[in-house]
Every structure is written in C-alpha cells, then in structure tokens.
C-alpha cells in the first residue's frame, strides 16, 4: 500500500494538517462554476515526490482533492485506488473528464491541458462536471 513506514506517517500527517489548515499544501476550497464546495484542495507539482506517496493511498477521502498545476499528461501507475480525473485549461475550463480510472492507466489528455484534478470516485457524477464547466479554487 505505502512505499515505507516513513511514507505512511508522512501521508497521515499531511492529511491531518490539510484538514486542520496547517500546511502549505492547503489552498482554499474547490469551486465548480463559482459555487463553493466543502472539498479542500492539495496543490502538487508534477515533479513533487509526494505525488508517488499520495498514489499509494488505499482510498481518497471525499473532503480532499489534488490538483497538479502545469501538467500536460498523467498516469495512474503509482495509484492503488480508482479515481476521477478532470483536465482543465489555463482558464480553468474543463476540457475532458475521466470517470472511474483504474490503476496502471495512461490517460490520453487533450493538448491544451494545464491542470489535472484528481478526485474520489463518483465526484464527477455527483457535481455533474462536464466540458466547459469552470473548476478552480474559491478566492
């Protein structure tokens, strides 16, 4: 499930700090079409090693989502759980959605993709996210 005991402790601490707003990874709540949600956003860079560690999670909490900024492509090689993926452009408009993506999958993202959002399975259906919706952080 996790790469090591150290990684497990790191992830547990990260989630605790995100949910209590005590971490630099926390960056506001998710907003869909300018409507605020209760989902907290963890911002990752493509080169961050925590991406591999987060992929080792056995499940993703419904209160947290991940965003990779400045990412053109994405694969779920390190993930142990199914996820929902949303690709957005520089203006935060949805280009493509991937529902219930299985582990060890390489996604065919659109050419204009700049941000990739990773959600718990069922989030796309619950919020009815579709192309040209706006997905960003509430300011």
């Amino acid at each position: 499930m996790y790469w090591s005991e150290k990684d497990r402790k790191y992830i547990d601490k990260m989630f605790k700090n995100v949910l209590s707003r005590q971490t630099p990874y926390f960056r506001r709540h998710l907003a869909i079409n300018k409507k605020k949600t209760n989902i907290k956003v963890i911002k990752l860079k493509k080169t961050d090693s925590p991406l591999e560690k987060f992929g080792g999670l056995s499940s993703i909490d419904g209160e947290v989502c991940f965003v990779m900024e400045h990412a053109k492509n994405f694969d779920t090689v390190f993930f142990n759980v199914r996820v929902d993926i949303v690709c957005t452009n520089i203006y935060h408009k949805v280009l493509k959605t991937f529902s219930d993506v299985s582990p060890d999958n390489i996604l065919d993202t659109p050419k204009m993709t700049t941000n990739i959002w990773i959600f718990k399975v069922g989030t796309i259906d619950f919020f009815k996210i579709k192309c040209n919706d706006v997905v960003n952080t509430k300011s």
Side-chain angles (χ1 to χ4, degrees):
M1 183 165 50
Y2 294 99
W3 295 106
S4 68
E5 182 69 21
K6 182 180 175 184
D7 291 342
R8 186 189 62 76
K9 288 181 181 177
Y10 174 81
I11 296 301
D12 291 343
K13 181 179 176 184
M14 177 65 66
F15 271 111
K16 180 182 168 191
N17 289 343
V18 165
L19 295 176
S20 64
R21 297 181 174 207
Q22 297 175 354
T23 180
Y25 286 94
F26 173 75
R27 185 186 171 197
R28 304 187 182 108
H29 285 81
L30 176 73
I32 299 171
N33 290 329
K34 298 185 180 179
K35 293 179 184 172
K36 186 176 176 183
T37 65
N38 290 339
I39 298 174
K40 294 177 178 70
V41 177
I42 298 176
K43 183 174 110 176
L44 299 172
K45 293 184 180 175
K46 181 70 173 167
T47 57
D48 280 352
S49 64
L51 178 62
E52 295 176 6
K53 296 176 184 176
F54 284 117
L57 292 172
S58 60
S59 66
I60 293 180
D61 189 0
E63 296 181 16
V64 177
C65 75
F66 305 106
V67 62
M68 291 184 355
E69 295 183 333
H70 312 294
K72 300 270 185 211
N73 54 18
F74 183 72
D75 58 54
T76 59
V77 172
F78 296 110
F79 281 68
N80 291 335
V81 64
R82 293 181 170 273
V83 293
D84 284 353
I85 309 272
V86 174
C87 301
T88 60
N89 65 8
I90 196 166
Y91 304 108
H92 304 290
K93 287 197 174 205
V94 175
L95 299 173
K96 191 169 184 179
T97 61
F98 299 93
S99 295
D100 200 20
V101 177
S102 63
D104 297 325
N105 207 345
I106 298 173
L107 302 177
D108 185 24
T109 58
K111 197 174 196 179
M112 300 297 291
T113 301
T114 56
N115 299 327
I116 296 176
W117 296 80
I118 306 164
F119 298 104
K120 178 182 176 181
V121 172
T123 305
I124 292 174
D125 294 333
F126 181 77
F127 289 109
K128 296 177 178 71
I129 301 172
K130 55 189 179 301
C131 289
N132 294 324
D133 283 352
V134 177
V135 176
N136 61 359
T137 54
K138 182 87 172 167
S139 53

